[in-house]
Amino acid sequence: MTHELLRFATAGSVDDGKSTLVGRLLHDSKSVLADQLAAIERVSNERGMESADLALLTDGLRAEREQGITIDVAYRYFSTAKRSFILADTPGHVQYTRNMVTGASTTELALILIDVRHGVVEQTRRHAAIAALLGVRHIAVVVNKMDLVDYSQEKFNEVSASFTDVASSLGLVDTTVIPVSALVGDNVVDASDTMPWYTGPTLLDYLETVPVGTDPRDEPFRLPVQYVNRPRTAKYPDFRGFSGRIASGVVRVGDDIVVSPLGSKSTVTGIEVLGTPVDEAFSPQSVTLLLADEIDMDRGDVISSTESSPLMTNEITATVCVLNEQPITAGQRVLARFGPKTIRAIVESVTDRLDLESLTHLPFNGALEVNDLGTIKLRLAGDVAVDNYADLRTTGAFILVDEQDGSTLVGGMTRC
Amino acid sequence: MSDFADYTLDHLDVLESEAVHVFREVIGEFDRPVLLFSGGKDSVVMLHLAVKAFAPSPVPFPVLHVDTGHNFPEVITYRDETVDRLGVRLVVANVQDWIDDGRLRERPDGTRNPLQTVPLLETIVANKFDAVFGGGRRDEEKARAKERVFSLRDGFGQWDPRRQRPELWDVYNGRHRPGEHVRVFPLSNWTELDVWRYIEREEIELPWLYYSHEREVFSRDGMWLTAGDWGGPNDSEAVVNKVVRYRTVGDMSCTGAVESTATTVADVIVEVAASRLTERGATRADDRLSEAAMEDRKREGYF
């Protein structure tokens, strides 16, 4: 049986106990090794704490330890007999929008923490909204600190119902709500006998069984070309392959394809998965395609199925998250990166900004500041092949880059 | 189980595909990449992935080894045989050269691990390398957990955690100013166990000291070190015969052997899976110096 990989992100408000929950998950799934545990026990002792502070497992950099905050996305790795996991641990407060957007962009599940005593708060709604915006498919809501409300089913049901309202208003269809005490360990890895009224999965059970990925046969084929492979060696004088990672869909030998943005057409005559010839390949495999015709192609072009090709355009409307201190304004000249494609662009206009309190887009034409989410219109120096982000994540995503200092300015999601 | 199981990749295939994607991005975005190759297992796996990423073309960049002069001779032999077999160009920065002409001074404790940084940075500058592949993994250590796949280094080779760029989706931003370079970590998302399972699956040959053998060692700081020209053991340290293997193969002065009877890849996987110590905690003296040791060395331009 295939040992699958699940990537998920965590989000929580300050003091929801996120670091403790992550520490508990790592500890109870036996992913914390003796020397790591010894190190945090030593530090906990120096700070006068009675037992090991599991939150220390996830605080990485010196600046964070000194200030007692988490300042960036940290990646954690653990595995069980059933699955391997990559956890993007995003901080709860400082720069939280930017960091959560970053963390959520590579994941298919978001774990949102709620303190049962406080219920659904403004930040909970923001986290859910960001997850929805980034196209995160599954939401696990961990209702934490159940030990502080005497494991009350009534309190849990209240929180659960109010989150369900938020989720449905955001169009989040797959949400699972789990009552937990991270401090004690109830329902994190081991089922709890303190909450007999709860019959659902523990957090780890859920993480081990939620479906990973989607069926690539349901998606149109897209291959952004990274590299044109021409060995020109004595053994391979005429080999000309097009290398990239399949962004979505399936490709088979004999398929008719079209290359964007030029529109040239050809037929797949061969597929190699890292040196091995195959008849069929699918997302997210890295492949090299051989074609029947000698067509002109460069890095950044997109090979797709002739049945459903991406939009070709030099005008793009997109939702963006500002990641840098440098604000985004109309008239700004930037570089746009669509996967392997780099192209000059101008911000034509800023049209709205997401109000994080009401979760509504309000008309706005000023400067979008760091951590703002809003809509912009971009004009590009030429046509690019793009998809609607909500349909196809990889070919719908882009970043904007400052040409002078190279900073990544925004993460963008195409709407078309 | 999903109804598209035939269209679901194993986690090693996902990691492999992701690493290959990183290699191909670098060759598309940079002029002069180089791969740090020590003969250590992570660098061996990186080179194996590079071969697969560009097949049937040869690997389109050279490899670089910073040789402290205290490396295990069997690893140097392995290094030379491997680059010959694959036909890749090897650039060696010998720490000894820097000591001989006075640019570096030997440390009182005899370890040369901290001395690698200057030769590495000067060789990067001299060769105008703009992308440097390293085998670092985020699971190794806390400071590495926040490392990017594309990690920007300034003109002094320094890493500033606050200047690192957010990395979204699979869009890597390698833009840099003249004199700056980017460290690239294709194995960022691999764990030690993933590396070993991949070595087993791909039948990758490693230097034999990764497997159990009998060796003359002595104990220092709770680690088994190999006697050698680098200055160990001192008079109070007794040399004994032990059945050991190495989990990492760095500088002999600070890389410890672990007692082990694992003679095959499969044995090693069982041992690693059951281990109660991290790879670096078990074998690297340099990381024990302080709680923030790795972070400090990264800032200075270490791997």
Side-chain angles (χ1 to χ4, degrees), chain A residues 82-96:
Chain A
K82 292 187 181 134
R83 273 186 183 168
S84 290
F85 299 94
I86 300 179
L87 188 172
D89 190 16
T90 67
H93 44 350
V94 185
Q95 308 287 13
Y96 70 87

Side-chain angles (χ1 to χ4, degrees), chain A residues 104-119:
Chain A
S105 73
T106 56
T107 58
E108 49 188 318
L109 184 148
L111 195 157
I112 296 177
L113 258 96
I114 300 177
D115 183 329
V116 66
R117 296 169 304 166
H118 306 142

Side-chain angles (χ1 to χ4, degrees), chain B residues 121 124-125 129 151-160 163-164 176-183 298-301:
Chain B
L121 295 177
I124 289 171
V125 172
F129 292 132
S151 173
L152 185 68
R153 305 300 165 107
D154 67 14
F156 299 92
Q158 297 177 110
W159 178 72
D160 178 354
R163 237 190 108 205
Q164 298 303 313
H176 57 284
R177 289 181 279 216
E180 294 182 335
H181 72 275
V182 175
R183 299 282 171 89
K298 277 176 73 69
R299 283 176 188 271
E300 289 160 12

